[in-house]
Amino acid sequence: MLRRWRSLHPWLRAVLESVLILVVLHVCVARWVVVRNTSMYATLLPGDLVLVERWPLLTGFARGDVVVFRDPLKDRQAKWQRPLLVKRIAGMPGDELELRNGVLYINGEEQPFPATGTHGHLVRLRKDADAEGIAGQLGLPPAMERPGRTFVELPLNPVLADTLRKRSDVAAVEPMSTATGAPRHIFPYSPRYRWNSDDYGPLRIPRKGDTLRITIDNLPLYDRLISRYEGHTLAVDGNELTIDGRPLDTYVVEQDHYFVLGDNRHYSADSRYWGFVPADHLVGRASLIAVSKGSTPQPRGRWLR
């Protein structure tokens, strides 16, 4: 093998060595990802080119890390073919997570909201307002604006809200109220859990080695974890549960799981809507915005910490 390698033309060897180095860097060290949506606005903007560190897969992640992972819902596709998503870790394996009136609590302690994160605001427009220009100023896609309306819902933080209040074509900027009711599209999609996007939990995030007591009542929380993420066959016959053909009373979790939220809290499809992120779906930690197509008062070309 070594003799064949030495027999190659020096230029060909140089090209192959370069490709090998790039592959090793991509797999083990870092990769680049382009942000595609607004779920992390205004921390990240559509079009941002973000450096993703790969070594936390070995060294571990921390609460508050902005992470890139494979879409857990696209399980009909091979894992490497699934779309990449970007969110922030809100809850670590073993944490108890709760949202009360939009405020996040972990293990009973209130957590600070991300400085660049946003909440929904109602922006009232004056006659002939340039709605598309407002979206462009904030680095938002024009699709978020609805032509012909005298108001628009936008994700804003205090800095962005003050920026809009200074515009002559904006009449008012008001925070929207928190969610009410218990919609059925909130994970775990069960009337037994009357949660919404602002009042959610308490929920314990499964950790590798945890022994879960499984009942008909709490099965919606763990159904996908057991059957999709950890590859077992579940069946329900009346009040009797089975796993791989055996009676199911308890289940030992085989890998860590995480709970993620978008910084654009009112406009993010995240763990509140589809559940836990298994550890083997994580790709890495987003660390640096290298290039940005957007333009907001927040500095671009910066480290994410």
Side-chain angles (χ1 to χ4, degrees):
M1 179 67 72
L2 182 59
R3 185 174 299 173
R4 288 183 180 180
W5 174 255
R6 288 174 177 173
S7 68
L8 295 175
H9 191 282
W11 283 105
L12 179 56
R13 287 208 309 268
V15 170
L16 293 176
E17 288 169 353
S18 298
V19 170
L20 180 60
I21 291 171
L22 288 174
V23 170
V24 171
L25 289 174
H26 181 81
V27 172
C28 302
V29 181
R31 62 176 295 175
W32 296 98
V33 170
V34 177
V35 177
R36 301 295 184 187
N37 59 46
T38 60
S39 69
M40 285 294 292
Y41 185 84
T43 304
L44 297 171
L45 303 182
D48 282 356
L49 179 65
V50 178
L51 178 69
V52 179
E53 300 167 345
R54 300 279 278 163
W55 59 83
L57 295 174
L58 299 175
T59 60
F61 295 88
R63 191 183 306 122
D65 282 351
V66 177
V67 292
V68 176
F69 56 96
R70 297 290 177 183
D71 189 337
L73 295 183
K74 303 293 185 180
D75 47 32
R76 294 184 181 276
Q77 302 173 240
K79 194 177 298 178
W80 65 271
Q81 293 179 317
R82 299 176 195 174
L84 294 175
L85 304 179
V86 183
K87 311 287 181 187
R88 189 182 295 274
I89 293 178
M92 295 287 288
D95 281 346
E96 183 178 84
L97 176 144
E98 186 175 9
L99 284 162
R100 303 179 209 155
N101 200 31
V103 178
L104 175 65
Y105 292 83
I106 297 295
N107 302 323
E109 296 185 4
E110 182 177 340
Q111 304 298 303
F113 192 76
T116 51
T118 56
H119 289 289
H121 283 67
L122 189 68
V123 180
R124 301 190 184 278
L125 306 175
R126 301 188 190 277
K127 186 178 179 181
D128 300 326
D130 180 11
E132 188 171 333
I134 291 173
Q137 179 182 359
L138 299 179
L140 292 168
M144 294 201 71
E145 304 286 352
R146 298 186 180 182
R149 291 202 172 187
T150 59
F151 63 90
V152 64
E153 295 178 14
L154 292 176
L156 304 174
N157 53 36
V159 173
L160 298 176
D162 288 342
T163 298
L164 288 193
R165 291 188 181 102
K166 296 174 183 177
R167 291 181 61 106
S168 60
D169 54 357
V170 171
V173 180
E174 304 163 354
M176 297 177 63
S177 58
T178 54
T180 59
R184 294 296 296 272
H185 62 273
I186 294 289
F187 177 81
Y189 326 117
S190 169
R192 292 182 173 91
Y193 297 89
R194 301 188 59 79
W195 301 343
N196 61 47
S197 58
D198 285 319
D199 289 288
Y200 191 95
L203 172 66
R204 190 179 190 277
I205 302 159
R207 176 174 51 194
K208 182 178 180 179
D210 280 353
T211 298
L212 307 175
R213 180 163 182 79
I214 308 297
T215 67
I216 289 292
D217 286 342
N218 71 10
L219 181 62
L221 288 173
Y222 307 116
D223 181 0
R224 188 171 186 83
L225 182 156
I226 296 171
S227 62
R228 297 291 189 178
Y229 302 155
E230 302 195 349
H232 298 280
T233 300
L234 287 175
V236 181
D237 183 8
N239 289 326
E240 183 179 349
L241 304 175
T242 63
I243 178 170
D244 302 329
R246 305 185 306 275
L248 172 63
D249 294 313
T250 61
Y251 178 77
V252 179
V253 180
E254 297 173 5
Q255 63 175 316
D256 286 334
H257 291 75
Y258 299 81
F259 195 99
V260 298
L261 294 172
D263 286 2
N264 185 359
R265 190 65 58 82
H266 285 167
Y267 303 91
S268 172
D270 48 40
S271 287
R272 295 170 295 175
Y273 298 90
W274 37 255
F276 310 113
V277 177
D280 65 4
H281 283 52
L282 293 172
V283 171
R285 178 174 58 211
S287 62
L288 172 70
I289 304 172
V291 178
S292 178
K293 294 181 180 179
S295 174
T296 75
Q298 305 299 338
R300 317 311 294 162
R302 59 187 170 84
W303 292 97
L304 293 168
R305 286 289 184 266

